[in-house]
Coordinates of all heavy atoms in Angstrom, one line a residue:
M27 N 77.9 124.3 88.3 CA 77.7 122.9 88.1 C 78.7 122.2 89.0 O 79.9 122.4 88.9 CB 77.9 122.6 86.6 CG 77.8 121.1 86.4 SD 78.2 120.7 84.7 CE 76.6 120.9 84.0
A28 N 78.2 121.3 89.8 CA 79.1 120.5 90.8 C 79.6 119.3 90.0 O 78.9 118.7 89.2 CB 78.3 120.1 92.0
C29 N 80.8 119.0 90.4 CA 81.5 117.8 89.8 C 81.7 116.8 90.9 O 82.4 117.0 91.8 CB 82.8 118.2 89.1 SG 83.7 116.8 88.4
A30 N 81.0 115.6 90.8 CA 81.2 114.6 91.8 C 82.2 113.6 91.3 O 82.2 113.2 90.2 CB 79.8 113.9 92.1
L31 N 82.9 113.1 92.2 CA 83.9 112.0 91.9 C 83.2 110.7 91.9 O 82.2 110.5 92.7 CB 85.0 112.0 93.0 CG 85.9 113.2 93.0 CD1 86.9 113.1 94.2 CD2 86.7 113.3 91.7
P32 N 83.6 109.7 91.1 CA 82.9 108.4 91.1 C 83.2 107.7 92.4 O 84.3 107.7 92.9 CB 83.7 107.7 90.0 CG 84.3 108.7 89.1 CD 84.5 109.9 90.0
G33 N 82.1 107.2 93.0 CA 82.2 106.5 94.2 C 82.2 107.4 95.5 O 82.3 107.0 96.6
A34 N 82.1 108.7 95.2 CA 82.1 109.6 96.4 C 80.8 109.4 97.2 O 79.7 109.3 96.7 CB 82.1 111.1 95.9
G35 N 81.0 109.4 98.5 CA 79.9 109.2 99.4 C 79.5 107.8 99.6 O 78.5 107.6 100.4
L36 N 80.2 106.9 99.0 CA 79.8 105.5 99.3 C 80.4 104.9 100.5 O 79.9 104.0 101.1 CB 80.3 104.6 98.1 CG 79.6 104.9 96.7 CD1 80.2 104.0 95.6 CD2 78.1 104.7 96.8
G37 N 81.5 105.4 101.0 CA 82.1 105.0 102.2 C 82.6 106.1 103.0 O 82.3 107.3 102.7
G38 N 83.3 105.8 104.1 CA 83.8 106.9 105.0 C 84.9 107.6 104.3 O 85.4 107.2 103.3
P39 N 85.4 108.7 104.9 CA 86.4 109.5 104.3 C 87.8 108.8 104.3 O 88.7 109.2 103.5 CB 86.5 110.8 105.2 CG 85.9 110.3 106.5 CD 84.8 109.3 106.1
T40 N 87.9 107.8 105.1 CA 89.2 107.1 105.1 C 89.1 105.7 104.5 O 90.1 104.9 104.6 CB 89.7 106.9 106.6 OG1 88.8 106.2 107.3 CG2 90.0 108.3 107.2
E41 N 88.0 105.4 103.8 CA 87.9 104.0 103.3 C 89.0 103.7 102.3 O 89.6 102.6 102.4 CB 86.5 103.9 102.6 CG 86.3 102.5 102.0 CD 84.9 102.4 101.3 OE1 84.1 103.4 101.4 OE2 84.7 101.4 100.7
G42 N 89.3 104.5 101.4 CA 90.4 104.3 100.4 C 91.7 104.2 101.0 O 92.6 103.4 100.6
V43 N 92.0 105.0 102.1 CA 93.2 105.1 102.8 C 93.5 103.7 103.5 O 94.6 103.2 103.5 CB 93.3 106.2 103.8 CG1 94.5 106.2 104.6 CG2 93.2 107.6 103.0
I44 N 92.5 103.2 104.1 CA 92.6 101.9 104.8 C 92.9 100.8 103.9 O 93.7 100.0 104.1 CB 91.3 101.7 105.7 CG1 91.2 102.7 106.8 CG2 91.3 100.2 106.2 CD1 89.9 102.6 107.5
S45 N 92.2 100.8 102.7 CA 92.4 99.8 101.7 C 93.9 99.8 101.2 O 94.5 98.8 101.0 CB 91.5 100.0 100.5 OG 91.7 99.0 99.6
V46 N 94.4 101.0 101.0 CA 95.8 101.2 100.5 C 96.7 100.7 101.6 O 97.7 100.1 101.3 CB 96.1 102.6 100.1 CG1 97.5 102.9 99.8 CG2 95.3 103.0 98.8
A47 N 96.5 101.1 102.8 CA 97.3 100.7 103.9 C 97.4 99.1 104.1 O 98.4 98.6 104.3 CB 96.9 101.3 105.2
I48 N 96.2 98.5 103.9 CA 96.2 97.0 104.0 C 96.9 96.4 102.9 O 97.7 95.5 103.0 CB 94.7 96.5 104.1 CG1 94.1 96.9 105.4 CG2 94.6 95.0 103.9 CD1 92.6 96.6 105.5
S49 N 96.7 96.9 101.6 CA 97.4 96.4 100.5 C 98.9 96.6 100.6 O 99.7 95.6 100.3 CB 97.0 97.2 99.2 OG 95.6 96.9 99.0
L50 N 99.4 97.7 101.1 CA 100.8 98.0 101.3 C 101.3 97.0 102.3 O 102.4 96.5 102.1 CB 101.0 99.4 101.6 CG 102.5 99.8 101.7 CD1 103.2 99.6 100.4 CD2 102.6 101.3 102.1
S51 N 100.6 96.8 103.4 CA 101.1 95.9 104.5 C 101.2 94.5 103.9 O 102.1 93.8 104.3 CB 100.1 95.9 105.6 OG 100.0 97.2 106.2
V52 N 100.2 94.0 103.1 CA 100.3 92.7 102.6 C 101.5 92.6 101.6 O 102.2 91.5 101.6 CB 99.0 92.4 101.9 CG1 99.1 91.1 101.1 CG2 97.8 92.3 102.9
V53 N 101.7 93.6 100.8 CA 102.8 93.5 99.9 C 104.2 93.4 100.7 O 105.0 92.6 100.3 CB 102.8 94.8 99.0 CG1 104.2 94.9 98.2 CG2 101.7 94.7 98.0
V54 N 104.3 94.2 101.7 CA 105.5 94.2 102.5 C 105.7 92.8 103.2 O 106.8 92.2 103.2 CB 105.6 95.3 103.6 CG1 106.7 95.2 104.5 CG2 105.7 96.7 102.8
L55 N 104.6 92.3 103.8 CA 104.6 91.0 104.4 C 105.0 89.9 103.4 O 105.9 89.1 103.7 CB 103.3 90.7 105.1 CG 103.2 89.3 105.7 CD1 104.1 89.2 106.9 CD2 101.7 89.0 106.1
L56 N 104.4 89.9 102.3 CA 104.7 88.9 101.3 C 106.2 89.0 100.7 O 106.8 88.0 100.5 CB 103.7 88.9 100.1 CG 102.3 88.5 100.5 CD1 101.4 88.7 99.3 CD2 102.3 87.0 100.9
A57 N 106.7 90.3 100.6 CA 108.1 90.5 100.2 C 109.0 89.9 101.3 O 110.0 89.2 100.9 CB 108.3 92.0 100.0
V58 N 108.7 90.1 102.5 CA 109.6 89.6 103.6 C 109.6 88.0 103.6 O 110.6 87.4 103.7 CB 109.1 90.1 105.0 CG1 109.8 89.4 106.1 CG2 109.4 91.6 105.1
V59 N 108.4 87.5 103.4 CA 108.3 86.0 103.3 C 109.0 85.5 102.1 O 109.8 84.5 102.2 CB 106.8 85.5 103.3 CG1 106.7 84.1 102.9 CG2 106.1 85.9 104.6
L60 N 108.9 86.1 101.0 CA 109.7 85.7 99.8 C 111.2 85.8 100.0 O 111.9 84.8 99.7 CB 109.3 86.6 98.6 CG 109.8 86.3 97.3 CD1 109.3 84.9 96.8 CD2 109.4 87.3 96.3
V61 N 111.7 86.8 100.6 CA 113.1 86.9 100.9 C 113.6 85.8 101.8 O 114.6 85.2 101.6 CB 113.5 88.3 101.5 CG1 114.9 88.4 102.0 CG2 113.3 89.4 100.4
V62 N 112.8 85.6 102.9 CA 113.1 84.5 103.8 C 113.2 83.2 103.2 O 114.1 82.4 103.4 CB 112.2 84.5 105.0 CG1 112.3 83.3 105.9 CG2 112.4 85.8 105.9
L63 N 112.2 82.9 102.3 CA 112.2 81.6 101.6 C 113.3 81.5 100.6 O 113.9 80.4 100.5 CB 110.8 81.5 100.8 CG 109.6 81.2 101.7 CD1 108.3 81.2 100.8 CD2 109.7 79.9 102.4
I64 N 113.7 82.5 99.9 CA 114.8 82.5 99.0 C 116.1 82.3 99.8 O 116.9 81.4 99.4 CB 114.9 83.7 98.1 CG1 113.7 83.7 97.2 CG2 116.2 83.8 97.4 CD1 113.6 85.0 96.4
R65 N 116.3 83.1 100.8 CA 117.6 83.0 101.6 C 117.7 81.6 102.4 O 118.8 81.1 102.6 CB 117.7 84.1 102.6 CG 117.9 85.4 101.9 CD 118.3 86.5 102.8 NE 119.4 86.2 103.7 CZ 120.6 86.7 103.6 NH1 120.9 87.5 102.7 NH2 121.5 86.3 104.5
G66 N 116.5 81.1 102.7 CA 116.5 79.8 103.5 C 116.7 78.6 102.5 O 116.8 77.5 103.0
G67 N 116.6 78.8 101.2 CA 116.8 77.7 100.3 C 115.5 77.0 100.0 O 115.6 76.0 99.2
S68 N 114.4 77.4 100.6 CA 113.1 76.7 100.3 C 112.6 77.1 98.9 O 111.8 76.4 98.3 CB 112.1 77.1 101.3 OG 112.5 76.7 102.6
L69 N 113.0 78.2 98.4 CA 112.5 78.7 97.1 C 113.7 79.3 96.3 O 114.5 80.1 96.8 CB 111.5 79.8 97.3 CG 110.8 80.4 96.1 CD1 110.0 79.3 95.4 CD2 109.9 81.5 96.5
K70 N 113.9 78.8 95.1 CA 115.0 79.3 94.3 C 114.5 80.6 93.6 O 113.4 80.9 93.5 CB 115.3 78.2 93.3 CG 115.8 76.9 93.9 CD 117.0 77.1 94.7 CE 117.5 75.8 95.3 NZ 118.4 75.9 96.4
G71 N 115.5 81.3 93.0 CA 115.2 82.5 92.3 C 114.3 82.4 91.1 O 113.4 83.3 90.9
G72 N 114.5 81.4 90.3 CA 113.6 81.2 89.1 C 112.2 81.1 89.4 O 111.3 81.9 88.9
P73 N 111.8 80.2 90.3 CA 110.4 80.0 90.7 C 109.8 81.3 91.4 O 108.7 81.6 91.2 CB 110.3 78.8 91.6 CG 111.5 78.0 91.2 CD 112.5 79.0 90.8
A74 N 110.7 82.0 92.1 CA 110.3 83.2 92.8 C 109.9 84.3 91.7 O 108.9 85.0 91.9 CB 111.4 83.8 93.7
I75 N 110.7 84.4 90.7 CA 110.4 85.4 89.6 C 109.1 85.0 88.9 O 108.3 85.8 88.6 CB 111.6 85.5 88.6 CG1 112.8 86.1 89.4 CG2 111.2 86.2 87.4 CD1 114.1 86.1 88.6
V76 N 108.9 83.7 88.7 CA 107.7 83.2 88.0 C 106.5 83.6 88.9 O 105.4 84.1 88.4 CB 107.7 81.7 87.8 CG1 106.4 81.2 87.3 CG2 108.8 81.4 86.7
A77 N 106.6 83.4 90.2 CA 105.5 83.7 91.1 C 105.2 85.2 91.1 O 104.1 85.7 91.1 CB 105.8 83.3 92.6
I78 N 106.3 86.0 91.1 CA 106.1 87.5 91.1 C 105.4 87.9 89.8 O 104.5 88.7 89.8 CB 107.5 88.2 91.2 CG1 108.0 88.0 92.7 CG2 107.4 89.7 90.9 CD1 109.4 88.4 92.9
L79 N 105.9 87.4 88.7 CA 105.3 87.7 87.4 C 103.8 87.2 87.3 O 102.9 87.9 86.8 CB 106.1 87.1 86.2 CG 107.4 87.8 86.0 CD1 108.2 87.0 84.9 CD2 107.3 89.2 85.6
F80 N 103.5 86.1 87.9 CA 102.2 85.6 87.9 C 101.3 86.6 88.7 O 100.2 86.9 88.2 CB 102.1 84.2 88.6 CG 100.7 83.7 88.8 CD1 99.9 83.3 87.7 CD2 100.1 83.7 90.1 CE1 98.6 82.8 87.9 CE2 98.9 83.3 90.3 CZ 98.1 82.8 89.2
G81 N 101.7 87.0 89.8 CA 100.9 88.0 90.6 C 100.7 89.3 89.8 O 99.7 89.9 89.9
F82 N 101.8 89.7 89.2 CA 101.7 91.0 88.4 C 100.7 90.9 87.3 O 99.9 91.8 87.1 CB 103.1 91.3 87.8 CG 103.2 92.5 87.0 CD1 103.2 93.8 87.6 CD2 103.2 92.5 85.6 CE1 103.2 94.9 86.9 CE2 103.2 93.6 84.9 CZ 103.2 94.9 85.5
F83 N 100.7 89.8 86.5 CA 99.8 89.7 85.4 C 98.4 89.3 85.9 O 97.4 89.7 85.3 CB 100.3 88.6 84.4 CG 101.4 89.2 83.6 CD1 102.7 88.6 83.8 CD2 101.3 90.2 82.7 CE1 103.8 89.1 83.0 CE2 102.3 90.7 82.0 CZ 103.6 90.2 82.1
L84 N 98.3 88.6 87.0 CA 97.0 88.3 87.6 C 96.3 89.6 88.0 O 95.0 89.7 87.9 CB 97.1 87.4 88.9 CG 95.8 87.0 89.6 CD1 95.0 86.2 88.7 CD2 96.2 86.3 90.9
A85 N 97.0 90.6 88.4 CA 96.4 91.9 88.8 C 95.8 92.6 87.7 O 94.9 93.5 87.9 CB 97.5 92.8 89.5
S86 N 96.1 92.3 86.5 CA 95.5 93.0 85.3 C 94.4 92.2 84.7 O 93.9 92.6 83.6 CB 96.6 93.3 84.3 OG 97.2 92.1 83.7
T87 N 94.0 91.1 85.3 CA 92.9 90.3 84.7 C 91.6 90.7 85.4 O 91.5 91.5 86.3 CB 93.1 88.8 85.0 OG1 93.1 88.5 86.4 CG2 94.5 88.3 84.4
N88 N 90.5 90.0 84.9 CA 89.2 90.3 85.4 C 89.0 89.7 86.8 O 88.0 90.1 87.5 CB 88.1 89.8 84.5 CG 88.0 90.5 83.2 OD1 88.4 91.7 83.1 ND2 87.6 89.8 82.1
I89 N 89.8 88.8 87.3 CA 89.7 88.2 88.6 C 90.3 89.1 89.7 O 90.0 88.8 90.9 CB 90.3 86.8 88.6 CG1 89.7 86.0 89.8 CG2 91.8 86.8 88.6 CD1 90.1 84.5 89.7
A90 N 91.0 90.1 89.3 CA 91.7 90.9 90.3 C 90.7 91.5 91.3 O 91.0 91.5 92.5 CB 92.6 92.0 89.7
P91 N 89.6 92.1 90.9 CA 88.7 92.7 91.9 C 88.1 91.6 92.9 O 88.0 91.9 94.1 CB 87.5 93.2 91.1 CG 88.1 93.5 89.8 CD 89.2 92.4 89.6
S92 N 87.9 90.4 92.4 CA 87.5 89.3 93.3 C 88.5 88.9 94.3 O 88.2 88.7 95.5 CB 87.1 88.1 92.5 OG 86.1 88.4 91.6
V93 N 89.8 88.9 93.9 CA 90.9 88.6 94.8 C 91.0 89.7 95.8 O 91.2 89.5 97.0 CB 92.2 88.4 94.1 CG1 93.4 88.3 95.0 CG2 92.1 87.2 93.2
N94 N 90.9 90.9 95.4 CA 91.0 92.1 96.3 C 89.8 92.1 97.3 O 90.1 92.3 98.5 CB 91.0 93.4 95.4 CG 91.4 94.6 96.2 OD1 92.0 94.5 97.3 ND2 91.1 95.8 95.7
N95 N 88.6 91.8 96.8 CA 87.5 91.7 97.8 C 87.7 90.6 98.8 O 87.4 90.8 100.0 CB 86.2 91.5 97.0 CG 85.7 92.7 96.2 OD1 86.1 93.8 96.5 ND2 84.9 92.5 95.2
F96 N 88.2 89.5 98.4 CA 88.4 88.4 99.3 C 89.5 88.8 100.3 O 89.3 88.5 101.5 CB 88.9 87.1 98.5 CG 89.4 86.0 99.4 CD1 88.5 85.3 100.2 CD2 90.7 85.8 99.6 CE1 88.9 84.3 101.0 CE2 91.2 84.8 100.4 CZ 90.3 84.0 101.1
M97 N 90.5 89.4 99.9 CA 91.6 89.8 100.8 C 91.1 90.9 101.8 O 91.4 90.9 103.0 CB 92.8 90.4 100.1 CG 93.5 89.3 99.3 SD 94.1 87.9 100.3 CE 95.3 88.6 101.3
N98 N 90.2 91.8 101.3 CA 89.6 92.8 102.2 C 88.7 92.2 103.2 O 88.7 92.6 104.4 CB 88.9 93.9 101.4 CG 89.9 94.9 100.7 OD1 91.0 95.0 101.1 ND2 89.4 95.4 99.6
S99 N 87.9 91.2 102.8 CA 87.0 90.5 103.7 C 87.8 89.7 104.8 O 87.5 89.7 105.9 CB 86.1 89.5 102.9 OG 85.3 90.2 102.0
L100 N 88.9 89.1 104.3 CA 89.8 88.4 105.2 C 90.4 89.3 106.3 O 90.4 89.0 107.5 CB 90.9 87.6 104.5 CG 91.7 86.7 105.2 CD1 90.9 85.6 105.8 CD2 92.8 86.1 104.3
A101 N 90.8 90.5 105.8 CA 91.4 91.5 106.7 C 90.4 92.0 107.7 O 90.7 92.2 108.9 CB 92.0 92.6 105.9
E102 N 89.2 92.2 107.2 CA 88.1 92.7 108.2 C 87.8 91.6 109.2 O 87.6 91.9 110.4 CB 86.9 93.1 107.4 CG 87.0 94.3 106.6 CD 85.8 94.6 105.7 OE1 84.7 94.0 105.9 OE2 85.9 95.5 104.9
M103 N 87.8 90.3 108.8 CA 87.5 89.3 109.7 C 88.5 89.1 110.7 O 88.2 89.0 111.9 CB 87.4 87.9 108.9 CG 87.0 86.7 109.8 SD 86.8 85.2 108.8 CE 88.5 84.9 108.4
I104 N 89.8 89.3 110.3 CA 90.9 89.2 111.3 C 90.8 90.4 112.2 O 91.1 90.3 113.4 CB 92.3 89.1 110.6 CG1 92.4 87.8 109.8 CG2 93.4 89.4 111.5 CD1 93.6 87.7 108.9
N105 N 90.5 91.5 111.7 CA 90.4 92.8 112.5 C 89.3 92.6 113.6 O 89.4 93.2 114.7 CB 90.1 94.0 111.6 CG 90.3 95.3 112.4 OD1 91.0 95.4 113.3 ND2 89.5 96.3 111.9
K106 N 88.2 91.9 113.4 CA 87.1 91.7 114.3 C 87.4 90.7 115.4 O 86.7 90.7 116.4 CB 85.9 91.3 113.6 CG 85.3 92.4 112.7 CD 84.1 91.9 112.0 CE 83.5 93.0 111.1 NZ 82.3 92.6 110.4
I107 N 88.5 90.0 115.3 CA 88.9 89.0 116.4 C 89.4 89.8 117.6 O 90.3 90.7 117.5 CB 90.0 88.1 115.9 CG1 89.4 87.2 114.7 CG2 90.5 87.2 117.0 CD1 90.5 86.3 114.1
S108 N 88.8 89.5 118.7 CA 89.3 90.2 119.9 C 89.9 89.1 120.9 O 89.4 88.0 121.0 CB 88.1 90.8 120.6 OG 87.1 89.9 121.0
F109 N 91.0 89.5 121.4 CA 91.8 88.6 122.3 C 91.5 88.9 123.8 O 91.3 89.9 124.2 CB 93.3 88.7 122.0 CG 93.6 88.2 120.6 CD1 93.8 89.1 119.6 CD2 93.7 86.9 120.4 CE1 94.2 88.7 118.4 CE2 94.0 86.4 119.1 CZ 94.2 87.4 118.1

């Protein structure tokens, strides 16, 4: 009896890897922007913590897949731009 993984065969072999790489890149980019804003005085520590907690709890809601799909679509659109 063969055991198939959910979602197996729906995309290429690196589809999940690319999504994780994009997510990790976005997290690092947003962390750098957050540090720059805090150090520059544009954003204080309290509001920064509220923003972080908002994102954390937003990720556990029903809207998280929609946000993720939007960000993936945006990343694909940017990737298709040729200079």
Side-chain angles (χ1 to χ4, degrees):
M27 177 183 274
C29 179
L31 295 174
L36 296 178
T40 60
E41 181 179 355
V43 174
I44 292 171
S45 178
V46 170
I48 290 172
S49 296
L50 186 60
S51 298
V52 170
V53 168
V54 171
L55 175 66
L56 291 174
V58 168
V59 169
L60 185 62
V61 168
V62 168
L63 289 174
I64 290 172
R65 290 190 52 110
S68 298
L69 183 64
K70 301 295 180 195
I75 291 173
V76 170
I78 291 169
L79 289 174
F80 173 73
F82 179 77
F83 287 111
L84 180 66
S86 64
T87 65
N88 292 336
I89 197 171
S92 298
V93 173
N94 194 18
N95 289 338
F96 172 73
M97 293 303 292
N98 285 336
S99 298
L100 187 63
E102 288 177 14
M103 184 179 68
I104 292 171
N105 191 30
K106 290 180 182 179
I107 296 174
S108 60
F109 295 101

